[in-house]
Amino acid sequence: MALGRCPQCGSWDSVVEEVIPGSSSTKTPKIRGISAMSRPRKITEIKGDFEERLDLPIKEFARVLGGGVVPGSVVLVGGDPGIGKSTLLLQLAIQMAHDRKVLYVSGEESERQIKMRAVRLSAFDDQESKNMPDGLFLVTETNLDMIMEHIRELTPDILVVDSIQTMYLDHLESTPGSVSQVRESASRLRELAKASGVAVFLIGHVTKEGVIAGPRVLEHIVDTVLYLEGDRFQTFRLLRSVKNRFGATSEVGVFEMRESGMIEVKNPSEAFLAERLVNAPGSAIAVTMEGTRPLLVEIQGLTTHSSLNNPRRTPNGVDFNRLLLTVAVLTRRLRLKLTEQDVFVNVVSGLKISEPAADLAIAAAICSSMQDKPVKADTILIGEIGLSGELRWVGHMTARLNEAQKLGFKTAVIPKRVRKGEVLPDEMVVKEARSLREALSIALL
Ligand SMILES: Nc1ncnc2c1ncn2[C@@H]1O[C@H](COP(=O)(O)OP(=O)(O)OP(=O)(O)O)[C@@H](O)[C@H]1O
Ligand SMILES: [Mg+2]
């Protein structure tokens, strides 16, 4: 059936056809007999090591998962084409296979091609891993029944499936990548994971709307959903957790994409600020929280005279609406003549900031460009801007300031404290401002 518009949510082109398999292939009986497999058990009867997680040699990866991967869990790693999903998981597979058994199933590349990549990745390794580990098994296969057979035979500790959209089950009529194939394949792998304890990593392609495999089918089936994101033209990649049954979400791991693969960035703030031009107008430093981790990022603003009736507002890495709000407040409350200016804002590093805590730095970058006055080089700015031009307090102030201090920043401009509960670092000059105007007069040279 062709249906242009969804009658429920009103969005266009979002309806996908799903072929319902005939009743002969429906495996679950409606009512189970007495001999049903499941049986309620007392919680005290359930034995085992409940803290057990497999440690991952890639620490940034482990951090995003909440300290390691839980055996029997299914982790989905999604991301745009070419962002580095296969690279990251092959690296993980190689490193884990030194002391565990890993099966890497690919529906996209031949075994030779995978080995070629593996050789390239480990050529740069300075450890003993130059020799390929014995515990790593590769197979190019898309038939899920065959894959299940391999898993039963090989009993790996870790399974990587690249990608779930290429897998298919014979008894379903639809093509690989369709909603029913993807959902059924993932459900089968989940059942297998729970029963055998193998930790499964699924690679998933993201559609252009940012959805993994259609209308969020996969997100519900798996335990953990990670997104690998980043600007294609930049080298930084962020691994972000958006759902995690076994750990906190919104943690992020930071990597750099090099020829040698995905290199962990141990000190992201330092890396993000590495190319900053000190004392250049139009640049301000914000401290944003990514999960529990504070990150310092440079925000650049540029204003140029516009010949358009509706001057451009171009955000790159910041939320469009927050940019509009900031420009509106700068125009009304500080009387900046932005109505005749095109305004560009860019977050250096390719990071996407959604936090209002970066408002003040965005405003400072724009104002600094407009007035051609640099922001003081050793100063960071933190705070949310309200519609009256007032500054609002944001959470995690201590963590943010500590990170800035570690990187050598001497001054912080923050909103006026309402409660004095937060401990602020001693070695930093912390200047509290009530309004955007006051904050900018402190921060700009
Ligand atoms: N020889 C090479 N040297 C340096 N970088 C390379 C090399 N080969 C590939 N790359 C990088 O690896 C990226 C591809 O990574 P990868 O194949 O892991 O992405 P992916 O997310 O799995 O993509 P897809 O969704 O298409 O499978 C390329 O964009 C390229 O930047
Ligand atoms: Mg790939």
Side-chain angles (χ1 to χ4, degrees):
M1 179 183 61
L3 197 60
R5 189 173 188 187
C6 171
Q8 266 183 10
C9 70
S11 63
W12 291 93
D13 268 345
S14 60
V15 179
V16 279
E17 185 181 14
E18 192 179 338
V19 182
I20 310 229
S23 57
S24 60
S25 59
T26 321
K27 289 219 172 80
T28 351
K30 287 214 171 61
I31 302 165
R32 281 190 168 152
I34 307 288
S35 62
M37 303 248 290
S38 65
R39 173 179 71 86
R41 283 195 288 168
K42 286 185 186 159
I43 192 164
T44 45
E45 282 174 26
I46 299 164
K47 303 273 186 262
D49 179 0
F50 300 105
E51 279 304 306
E52 194 196 355
R53 276 173 194 263
L54 300 183
D55 198 18
L56 299 188
I58 304 179
K59 292 288 161 251
E60 289 289 299
F61 207 138
R63 150 193 206 102
V64 179
L65 286 174
V69 62
V70 175
S73 70
V74 182
V75 178
L76 174 66
V77 181
D80 288 331
I83 203 83
K85 302 177 294 292
S86 307
T87 307
L88 181 62
L89 285 172
L90 183 59
Q91 255 172 278
L92 184 74
I94 296 172
Q95 295 189 19
M96 292 203 77
H98 285 286
D99 44 17
R100 296 188 187 278
K101 218 190 283 175
V102 182
L103 175 60
Y104 188 102
V105 182
S106 180
E108 309 200 329
E109 287 148 310
S110 69
E111 286 135 27
R112 251 187 74 83
Q113 286 167 332
I114 303 169
K115 169 113 195 216
M116 259 170 60
R117 175 181 281 151
V119 170
R120 166 164 65 89
L121 297 178
S122 28
F124 296 85
D125 242 324
D126 44 22
Q127 290 158 12
E128 82 281 10
S129 50
K130 267 201 179 68
N131 307 322
M132 285 296 150
D134 253 352
L136 180 55
F137 294 78
L138 307 178
V139 60
T140 300
E141 181 59 74
T142 51
N143 182 333
L144 202 76
D145 291 311
M146 286 296 290
I147 294 168
M148 307 283 263
E149 212 38 60
H150 295 320
I151 296 167
R152 267 178 219 116
E153 224 165 79
L154 207 63
T155 60
D157 303 298
I158 311 277
L159 168 72
V160 178
V161 177
D162 184 3
S163 65
I164 187 67
Q165 275 95 348
T166 55
M167 301 298 143
Y168 74 95
L169 282 159
D170 251 342
H171 71 269
L172 297 179
E173 282 162 23
S174 47
T175 50
S178 63
V179 176
S180 33
Q181 284 286 7
V182 166
R183 188 178 49 207
E184 280 305 303
S185 304
S187 307
R188 283 283 198 90
L189 285 166
R190 175 184 59 182
E191 279 163 30
L192 182 99
K194 305 283 168 218
S196 67
V198 56
V200 180
F201 289 89
L202 301 180
I203 293 179
H205 294 300
V206 177
T207 63
K208 63 178 188 306
E209 295 84 27
V211 185
I212 302 181
R216 308 193 87 88
V217 240
L218 273 176
E219 272 109 326
H220 291 294
I221 297 173
V222 301
D223 298 303
T224 304
V225 180
L226 309 180
Y227 272 97
L228 188 60
E229 54 184 47
D231 191 322
R232 266 190 163 215
F233 303 104
Q234 300 251 3
T235 53
F236 291 114
R237 297 286 182 271
L238 297 159
L239 186 66
R240 198 186 285 280
S241 141
V242 290
K243 158 181 168 170
N244 196 350
R245 284 187 182 143
F246 307 111
T249 50
S250 75
E251 278 300 341
V252 17
V254 185
F255 296 89
E256 204 181 334
M257 184 84 173
R258 302 220 198 118
E259 198 187 347
S260 50
M262 300 277 263
I263 310 296
E264 292 179 78
V265 178
K266 295 271 156 49
N267 196 337
S269 300
E270 203 175 297
F272 291 165
L273 299 185
E275 292 175 351
R276 180 168 78 114
L277 280 182
V278 171
N279 285 333
S283 156
I285 308 297
V287 190
T288 161
M289 291 301 293
E290 291 296 339
T292 54
R293 170 196 261 189
L295 289 180
L296 269 77
V297 277
E298 180 187 358
I299 302 205
Q300 296 180 329
L302 182 67
T303 56
T304 54
H305 184 75
S306 178
S307 49
L308 302 169
N309 284 341
N310 275 328
R312 260 180 237 145
R313 308 288 178 236
T314 314
N316 186 10
V318 299
D319 183 59
F320 185 53
N321 289 323
R322 293 225 71 87
L323 173 61
L324 292 185
L325 182 142
T326 311
V327 169
V329 174
L330 283 169
T331 311
R332 276 301 299 277
R333 309 288 167 211
L334 273 87
R335 306 256 172 259
L336 284 193
K337 294 202 168 50
L338 292 169
T339 38
E340 294 143 23
Q341 303 277 323
D342 287 333
V343 179
F344 303 88
V345 171
N346 180 33
V347 179
V348 181
S349 75
L351 197 78
K352 289 189 178 52
I353 303 181
S354 47
E355 253 204 322
D359 287 357
L360 182 54
I362 297 172
I366 297 171
C367 185
S368 159
S369 169
M370 182 74 188
Q371 302 185 334
D372 218 18
K373 288 187 204 161
V375 174
K376 291 174 191 159
D378 65 352
T379 302
I380 53 131
L381 297 114
I382 304 168
E384 178 180 348
I385 298 173
L387 293 186
S388 324
E390 81 278 17
L391 282 190
R392 294 175 176 276
W393 187 256
V394 296
H396 306 284
M397 193 58 87
T398 313
R400 294 179 206 255
L401 294 179
N402 283 340
E403 178 74 6
Q405 192 197 343
K406 245 196 289 172
L407 283 158
F409 286 88
K410 302 273 186 305
T411 312
V413 183
I414 66 170
K416 186 105 194 138
R417 269 186 289 177
V418 240
R419 281 158 299 164
K420 304 273 174 188
E422 305 238 0
V423 190
L424 306 182
D426 305 333
E427 287 122 81
M428 246 188 149
V429 181
V430 178
K431 299 199 171 156
E432 295 175 29
R434 277 183 194 283
S435 66
L436 175 58
R437 179 186 291 276
E438 198 183 335
L440 294 185
S441 69
I442 300 170
L444 293 182
L445 265 181

